[in-house]
Amino acid sequence: MAAHRRRCSVVLLSIFSLSLINVAHKPKHDFREELVIRPLHSGDIYASFQFRTLWKTNFRENKVSHYRLFPKSLGQVISKFSVRELHISFTQGYWRTMQWGQPYQPAPPGTELWVWFQDSVTDVDGTWKKLTNVLSGIFCASLNFIDSTNTVQPSASFKPLGVGNATDHRFLRYATLPREIVCTENLTPWKKLLPCGSTAGLAVLLKSEKLFHSSFHSQAVHIRPICHDWECKATSWELRQTVNVVFDRHISAQGKREWSLFKMFSRTLTEACPLASSSKIYVDITDSPQGEQLELSPPTSLLSQAVALGDRRTFSVYDLKQQSTFGMTHSLNLLIRWKSNEGDMLRPLLHAERYVAGYGLHMGEIHTLMYNNHPYRSFPVLLLESVPWYLRLYIHTLTVTSKGKDNKPSYIHYQPSKDRVRPHLLEMLIQLPPISVTEVTVQFERALLKWTEYTPDPNHGFYVGSSVISSLVPSIVAMDTNMTQERPLFSSFFPNKEESTYFTRVYTEPLLVNLPTPDFSMPYNVICLTCTVVAVGYGSLYNLLTRSFQVEEPSPGLAKRIANVIRKMRGVPPL
């Protein structure tokens, strides 16, 4: 009996030790998917998809040949071009901060790409050019138009978001294409990067005709190394794919304050992705904790609290890994209905906008306005301006004012442009006073381009990329600084080292600037007139030089021929 007890205790101890080993060591591959639905005070609805794939491997030391959840195309890109971090976004529309609040994943209109390379790369510019061409083929985008004329090397605005202390900006490249149009050709290869594709899980809802029939649509891919374990002794590669959509109530919901998954995406959910370790839907009910303003159907008793964007939010959670979530119909069609229109949206603490002033086609001014809506705290912001070379900035006219007084930046980095080689780069660290509007103004002169450098529609104008404003904004609640703790994906993207602040990035509108444009009908008229003159003159001269002329006697008439016959018979000479 005692021996039997000892044998059982040994077996239990071995099972317990194995369970501890399984808990202590995370698997090499992990995939999670989330959907956050946030009803907006304007009656619109904000849907944010996040898909995260983790892979414990080392592309620098090991030659990876077997891929399971991580897409092979991106893994080969990381290995081939020695990429440490890659961030790319495709956005259609402009995020209206004052109406919708802050987004979980900010992005400028058009295409944005910024990459950190490994310090082993010797020719960064050549590697950057090859990388943009490869990514252009992967995502079916016009990234091959990225060259030295729209690429900059920020010195302080873009820091690595993953692990690693190297911040040498020589290995950083940043570029935007504000005119890039996002369409189905970009969404299809993006969905193919998911482990389940668009056949199962939350990706089933990503229907192109619904996503692109919205007020705002943004899709992004972020690759970075992160800590794999609690002590950060090992690192993993994180691939985070995000989609952010804002559906207009007057277009998608026919003016009604009522939403459902089928109304938004024309699809319902029937299952989670089989390869996902977690598949959840979060519905923000912070403004309606007891259901006074919002009604969810089907209801759920699972609630969760998370700190996002400096505020503690309350969410109703639907776990797709549980079959009870789908009910008897084996289909989930989440319904959100407004009961009342009460409640005011909290104004974002940081907001920015930009516009062009002046008249004529010679001189102009760029005005950038940054709003600090905090009632009593000031905080610094990093402003990045990337201006094309054909807008020649007069940097001596740069002025920064706050509340009618000069506001001297504590840090300025300016790299002048070179015609047809590189753009202007201006970075400034500015302190924003509380409840203030800080205005940055700089004058510029429009250049006259060569006629081959104009676009096919030059009268439409030329785009200038959005300004980038990065800041540590004061938080209402204490932020969680433990990055290894398991948290929702939407609240764990930007690293944070201070409990009293959170990192945010704000993008302004892109600018549309008119340049001096010649009358392109004049060359057409000149070509037509020249060709006409040459054809007439050369044709006449050619005929005179090449034709042979012969004199032909006219044939006599019938009466004359008869008279000559008669005269010949009489022996008289013909007429």
Side-chain angles (χ1 to χ4, degrees):
M1 189 67 178
H4 179 69
R5 289 179 178 176
R6 284 195 300 270
R7 192 180 301 112
C8 291
S9 63
V10 171
V11 172
L12 291 175
L13 181 61
S14 61
I15 294 175
F16 181 69
S17 61
L18 287 176
S19 63
L20 288 179
I21 293 175
N22 292 332
V23 172
H25 298 279
K26 290 185 177 181
K28 291 186 62 176
H29 300 271
D30 181 65
F31 175 68
R32 294 175 57 188
E33 57 180 4
E34 287 182 3
L35 168 60
V36 184
I37 299 178
R38 191 173 77 188
L40 304 176
H41 289 268
S42 59
D44 306 331
I45 198 159
Y46 172 40
S48 176
F49 294 83
Q50 296 218 25
F51 306 88
R52 189 189 70 173
T53 304
L54 289 181
W55 189 16
K56 184 183 178 182
T57 188
N58 193 335
F59 288 103
R60 299 185 64 181
E61 299 177 0
N62 304 329
K63 187 177 180 180
V64 181
S65 58
H66 177 69
Y67 292 83
R68 183 171 175 262
L69 298 180
F70 203 92
K72 185 177 181 180
S73 58
L74 295 182
Q76 291 177 340
V77 166
I78 297 174
S79 177
K80 173 68 176 179
F81 300 104
S82 300
V83 173
R84 187 172 68 180
E85 286 193 19
L86 186 146
H87 306 271
I88 183 172
S89 65
F90 302 92
T91 305
Q92 185 71 29
Y94 176 68
W95 182 269
R96 305 182 186 280
T97 307
M98 297 305 293
Q99 298 180 15
W100 301 337
Q102 293 287 353
Y104 293 118
Q105 295 290 337
T111 300
E112 180 190 46
L113 174 64
W114 56 287
V115 178
W116 278 95
F117 293 96
Q118 301 284 355
D119 53 6
S120 58
V121 179
T122 56
D123 184 11
V124 180
D125 291 329
T127 306
W128 167 257
K129 183 62 178 177
K130 296 177 182 178
L131 176 63
T132 54
N133 283 273
V134 171
L135 294 178
S136 177
I138 292 177
F139 294 102
C140 295
S142 303
L143 299 178
N144 54 306
F145 285 96
I146 294 179
D147 53 16
S148 62
T149 60
N150 49 26
T151 301
V152 295
Q153 304 176 29
S155 62
S157 296
F158 290 89
K159 298 296 182 183
L161 299 182
V163 295
N165 298 323
T167 57
D168 191 349
H169 68 274
R170 293 179 302 171
F171 300 98
L172 170 65
R173 293 296 183 271
Y174 174 81
T176 58
L177 294 175
R179 195 173 180 172
E180 181 71 12
I181 303 300
V182 187
C183 59
T184 310
E185 296 177 356
N186 309 120
L187 182 64
T188 301
W190 184 94
K191 291 191 291 187
K192 291 182 179 180
L193 300 177
L194 297 172
C196 293
S198 58
T199 58
L202 296 176
V204 174
L205 302 177
L206 300 178
K207 198 174 181 180
S208 58
E209 55 264 31
K210 282 294 183 179
L211 293 183
F212 296 113
H213 194 64
S214 59
S215 300
F216 176 84
H217 168 262
S218 177
Q219 61 188 55
V221 173
H222 305 278
I223 303 176
R224 62 176 179 176
I226 64 171
C227 294
H228 183 76
D229 49 14
W230 303 105
E231 299 178 356
C232 205
K233 293 182 179 180
T235 59
S236 299
W237 284 96
E238 180 195 64
L239 168 63
R240 190 176 298 223
Q241 298 177 242
T242 63
V243 172
N244 294 275
V245 191
V246 176
F247 293 100
D248 192 341
R249 172 168 61 102
H250 299 284
I251 297 178
S252 302
Q254 290 81 38
K256 300 179 181 179
R257 296 177 67 89
E258 179 179 306
W259 294 93
S260 65
L261 291 182
F262 187 80
K263 186 176 293 184
M264 287 187 289
F265 305 104
S266 296
R267 300 283 178 87
T268 58
L269 294 174
T270 57
E271 62 175 345
C273 176
L275 301 176
S277 61
S278 174
S279 180
K280 297 180 180 179
I281 298 179
Y282 293 84
V283 181
D284 194 340
I285 59 170
T286 306
D287 300 329
S288 179
Q290 303 298 330
E292 298 91 351
Q293 299 181 22
L294 293 178
E295 177 185 353
L296 299 182
S297 178
T300 177
S301 59
L302 185 58
L303 299 179
S304 175
Q305 284 192 344
V307 177
L309 303 175
D311 190 12
R312 190 179 305 277
R313 312 294 294 181
T314 304
F315 298 90
S316 293
V317 184
Y318 295 83
D319 192 352
L320 302 184
K321 302 295 287 187
Q322 299 179 1
Q323 292 299 325
S324 59
T325 304
F326 301 97
M328 298 298 295
T329 59
H330 303 287
S331 176
L332 178 62
N333 183 24
L334 183 60
L335 176 65
I336 303 174
R337 182 182 293 110
W338 272 261
K339 292 183 178 180
S340 64
N341 300 333
E342 299 178 358
D344 297 328
M345 184 190 73
L346 295 177
R347 298 175 61 189
L349 296 181
L350 179 61
H351 172 57
E353 57 185 20
R354 187 170 62 156
Y355 62 91
V356 176
Y359 56 92
L361 295 177
H362 182 213
M363 301 293 296
E365 286 184 346
I366 298 178
H367 293 255
T368 305
L369 305 179
M370 295 175 289
Y371 297 83
N372 178 9
N373 297 322
H374 201 282
Y376 57 87
R377 287 194 60 178
S378 63
F379 52 86
V381 297
L382 263 172
L383 173 64
L384 183 143
E385 294 272 7
S386 178
V387 183
W389 62 268
Y390 45 79
L391 299 183
R392 292 164 179 159
L393 297 182
Y394 293 153
I395 203 65
H396 69 280
T397 63
L398 177 66
T399 58
V400 182
T401 58
S402 299
K403 296 183 176 181
K405 299 180 181 179
D406 291 339
N407 188 345
K408 185 177 181 180
S410 56
Y411 170 78
I412 295 181
H413 171 70
Y414 175 66
Q415 184 182 46
S417 68
K418 290 184 179 179
D419 287 357
R420 300 171 181 84
V421 176
R422 70 184 184 194
H424 301 269
L425 173 61
L426 177 62
E427 288 184 282
M428 294 186 294
L429 182 62
I430 307 173
Q431 189 78 13
L432 302 185
I435 314 181
S436 65
V437 180
T438 301
E439 184 177 8
V440 180
T441 306
V442 62
Q443 297 181 6
F444 65 88
E445 178 185 0
R446 295 173 173 87
L448 183 63
L449 304 181
K450 298 179 180 179
W451 73 274
T452 55
E453 295 174 342
Y454 285 93
T455 57
D457 52 347
N459 293 311
H460 177 75
F462 292 78
Y463 284 89
V464 180
S466 304
S467 299
V468 186
I469 300 171
S470 309
S471 176
L472 289 174
V473 180
S475 176
I476 299 177
V477 296
M479 301 295 294
D480 187 6
T481 59
N482 186 4
M483 295 300 296
T484 58
Q485 184 178 353
E486 200 71 22
R487 292 184 293 167
L489 298 179
F490 60 87
S491 63
S492 60
F493 181 67
F494 291 109
N496 189 29
K497 297 182 180 179
E498 298 181 7
E499 295 183 356
S500 60
T501 59
Y502 68 97
F503 180 80
T504 185
R505 186 167 283 148
V506 177
Y507 295 92
T508 64
E509 307 93 335
L511 298 179
L512 187 60
V513 182
N514 289 323
L515 295 182
T517 305
D519 185 2
F520 286 99
S521 64
M522 290 298 294
Y524 175 77
N525 297 334
V526 172
I527 291 174
C528 293
L529 180 61
T530 304
C531 292
T532 303
V533 173
V534 169
V536 172
Y538 178 74
S540 302
L541 181 62
Y542 182 80
N543 288 335
L544 291 175
L545 294 177
T546 58
R547 284 186 177 183
S548 60
F549 298 93
Q550 297 180 357
V551 178
E552 295 184 357
E553 295 183 357
S555 59
L558 179 62
K560 189 175 181 180
R561 287 199 302 271
I562 296 174
N564 288 332
V565 171
I566 297 174
R567 291 176 66 89
K568 185 176 180 181
M569 293 174 60
R570 296 175 61 183
V572 180
L575 296 176

